[in-house]
């Protein structure tokens, strides 16, 4: 599995946008970019995924660089409930195959 | 996405005993389920892929005789930690992956071996 690199931690203020970066310079042409987040003492939950084009859903937006070697998860207005560890993961499928988790980014949201 | 129920949410057991963790896929017939382990302050580590009706596929370094996986039906996979020791204390998480719907994770089981 191709490797991803994320900052260990980031901080944001409530109601401000948050941009969580992910580098994946060894991404292959068929790798999907997945984002999951994990709240304390819970299992991970799906946030968003994409292949080449930017993606939006009710939780977040995913901006993918033109060369696909990096991506950014955008939370438009952070809330205290968004405080979690965010994982950027590459997988050759959208479902069914194993996911390999990296260390993720611990997001702290300040009131 | 799918709905996954994991039970128990926490368990404390004595060293040397065995503990069984259940993972149920409530609205999706899962031929494959994934089991992860997570130590404090660390990321999730895939332990094994559970296959309905056949043997599980274990990741390198995971003892198959210690972590018994049974996937006898399309809605239930179990992980049994046999002869548990304090170093097995961890957060165990299962996952299913319906086609086209990404991955859904259980709420996890906190195992403490005393």
């Amino acid at each position: 599995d191709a490797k991803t690199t994320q900052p260990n931690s980031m901080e944001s203020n409530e109601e401000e946008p948050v941009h969580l970066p992910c580098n994946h310079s060894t991404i292959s042409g068929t790798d999907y970019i997945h984002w999951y987040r994990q709240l304390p003492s819970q299992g991970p939950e799906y946030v968003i995924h994409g292949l080449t084009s930017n993606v939006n859903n009710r939780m977040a937006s995913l901006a993918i660089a033109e060369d696909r070697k990096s991506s950014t998860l955008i939370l438009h207005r952070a809330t205290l409930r968004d405080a979690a560890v965010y994982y950027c993961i590459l997988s050759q499928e959208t479902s069914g195959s194993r996911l390999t988790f990296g260390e993720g980014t611990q997001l702290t949201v300040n009131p | 996405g799918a709905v996954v129920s994991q039970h128990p949410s926490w368990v404390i057991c004595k060293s040397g005993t065995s503990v069984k963790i259940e993972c149920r896929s409530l609205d999706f017939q899962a031929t494959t389920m994934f089991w992860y382990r997570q130590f404090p302050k660390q990321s999730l580590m895939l332990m094994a892929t559970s296959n309905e009706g056949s043997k599980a596929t274990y990741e390198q370094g995971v003892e198959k005789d210690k972590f018994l996986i049974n996937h006898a039906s399309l809605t239930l996979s179990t992980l049994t930690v046999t002869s548990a020791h304090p170093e097995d204390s961890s957060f165990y998480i299962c996952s299913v992956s319906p086609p086209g719907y990404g991955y859904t994770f259980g709420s996890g089981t906190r195992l403490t071996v005393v």
Side-chain angles (χ1 to χ4, degrees), chain B:
Chain B
V3 179
V4 176
S5 173
Q6 190 172 338
H7 179 81
S9 55
W10 61 271
V11 58
I12 301 173
C13 72
K14 290 186 176 180
S15 190
T17 62
S18 296
V19 173
K20 181 185 285 188
I21 302 169
E22 293 187 349
C23 180
R24 293 183 184 273
S25 176
L26 300 183
D27 60 351
F28 163 64
Q29 294 190 320
T31 55
T32 301
M33 293 187 182
F34 303 93
W35 286 96
Y36 294 82
R37 178 169 54 180
Q38 185 176 33
F39 293 108
K41 307 284 187 190
Q42 294 186 24
S43 187
L44 283 77
M45 187 173 66
L46 180 66
M47 298 176 66
T49 302
S50 169
N51 304 299
E52 188 266 336
S54 64
K55 290 183 181 179
T57 305
Y58 290 83
E59 295 299 304
Q60 192 171 10
V62 177
E63 300 173 58
K64 63 178 189 221
D65 294 330
K66 181 168 184 62
F67 299 99
L68 301 180
I69 291 173
N70 183 284
H71 192 158
S73 80
L74 289 172
T75 59
L76 174 65
S77 176
T78 61
L79 169 68
T80 301
V81 183
T82 62
S83 186
H85 288 96
E87 57 265 31
D88 298 322
S89 297
S90 188
F91 192 50
Y92 292 86
I93 308 166
C94 67
S95 170
V96 301
S97 183
Y101 287 94
Y103 299 79
T104 302
F105 292 83
S107 54
T109 298
R110 175 80 56 198
L111 170 64
T112 303
V113 184
V114 297

Side-chain angles (χ1 to χ4, degrees), chain A residues 34 36 38 41-46 87 91 93-104, chain B residues 32 34 36 38 42-44 46 59 91 93 97-103 105-108 110:
Chain A
H34 300 256
Y36 283 78
Q38 185 179 23
S41 298
Q42 294 188 29
E45 67 171 338
Y46 171 82
Y87 296 99
S91 175
E93 299 176 35
T94 58
S95 60
S97 63
R98 49 197 291 235
L99 285 183
T100 301
F101 284 77
E103 298 305 312
Chain B
T32 301
F34 303 93
Y36 294 82
Q38 185 176 33
Q42 294 186 24
S43 187
L44 283 77
L46 180 66
E59 295 299 304
F91 192 50
I93 308 166
S97 183
Y101 287 94
Y103 299 79
F105 292 83
S107 54
R110 175 80 56 198

